[in-house]
Amino acid sequence: AALEAIDYAVNNGVKIINASWSMPNTQALYDAIHNAENAGLLFVAAAGNWYPNAEWSPNNDYDPTYPASYTLDNIIVVMATNYNDGRVVNEYWQSHYGANSVDLGAPGEYVLSTLPENNYGYYSGTSMATPHVSGACALVWSMYPHLKASQVKQIILDSADKLDSLDGLCVTEG
């Protein structure tokens, strides 16, 4: 279904995919995202969530999570931050991070979200953080529709507020 969704987006002129999900590393997934890159599409990916007793590290530099860990130029990787602008770390879960593999952080703890049947609720995770960045990309593109995906990505990364709390945790430290 993920591959079909990516192909559908490419074939219908979508500019941004919000990928608040993860799945195993496959050549087919890499190829689909690379095809999206060639079509000028931005792919905003959740860095991933780590849970106590997991058999992997929350550091994507050492334990990659996909699709976030593909090294394609059209991917922006997002970690979750809390209300103090730090990486979410609590007794239930932690945001993945990576000084070289995660681009920036966005609010991802107790985020108000829509629910079925016209309801709302608070949720946490990198799946809550990633849409903030997708929305920021959409706003940039709405103001400057002539930009290429790589230019939109660079504007987003360059405009991240550098924070001491994210020092060493993501590429922009913001």
Side-chain angles (χ1 to χ4, degrees):
L3 300 176
E4 290 174 6
I6 295 167
D7 289 343
Y8 179 87
V10 169
N11 293 331
N12 286 279
V14 170
K15 290 189 166 199
I16 303 165
I17 288 179
N18 181 83
S20 289
W21 45 269
S22 63
M23 62 184 285
N25 177 16
T26 68
Q27 186 64 47
L29 179 59
Y30 177 90
D31 291 345
I33 299 169
H34 184 63
N35 185 42
E37 177 181 28
N38 291 337
L41 190 146
L42 271 175
F43 194 91
V44 185
N49 304 322
W50 182 88
Y51 300 96
N53 301 319
E55 295 180 14
W56 66 88
S57 161
N59 187 336
N60 284 4
D61 290 351
Y62 301 105
D63 282 325
T65 300
Y66 296 94
S69 293
Y70 291 127
T71 55
L72 293 166
D73 291 335
N74 66 324
I75 298 177
I76 300 174
V77 183
V78 185
M79 65 185 286
T81 60
N82 59 26
Y83 60 91
N84 291 319
D85 285 334
R87 179 174 74 98
V88 175
V89 176
N90 60 46
E91 63 186 285
Y92 305 108
W93 70 281
Q94 298 178 18
S95 174
H96 281 213
Y97 63 96
N100 301 304
S101 59
V102 174
D103 292 308
L104 73 165
E109 189 169 51
Y110 303 116
V111 175
L112 186 63
S113 184
T114 56
L115 298 172
E117 299 182 24
N118 204 28
N119 289 307
Y120 298 89
Y122 290 91
Y123 286 87
S124 298
T126 55
S127 291
M128 297 287 100
T130 303
H132 286 85
V133 177
S134 296
C137 292
L139 287 172
V140 169
W141 242 325
S142 74
M143 293 181 63
Y144 307 100
H146 64 281
L147 293 179
K148 295 179 181 179
S150 60
Q151 294 170 306
V152 172
K153 177 180 177 177
Q154 198 60 54
I155 287 169
I156 295 298
L157 299 184
D158 288 347
S159 62
D161 292 333
K162 189 170 181 176
L163 303 167
D164 291 340
S165 57
L166 299 180
D167 183 36
L169 297 177
C170 59
V171 174
T172 63
E173 297 183 340

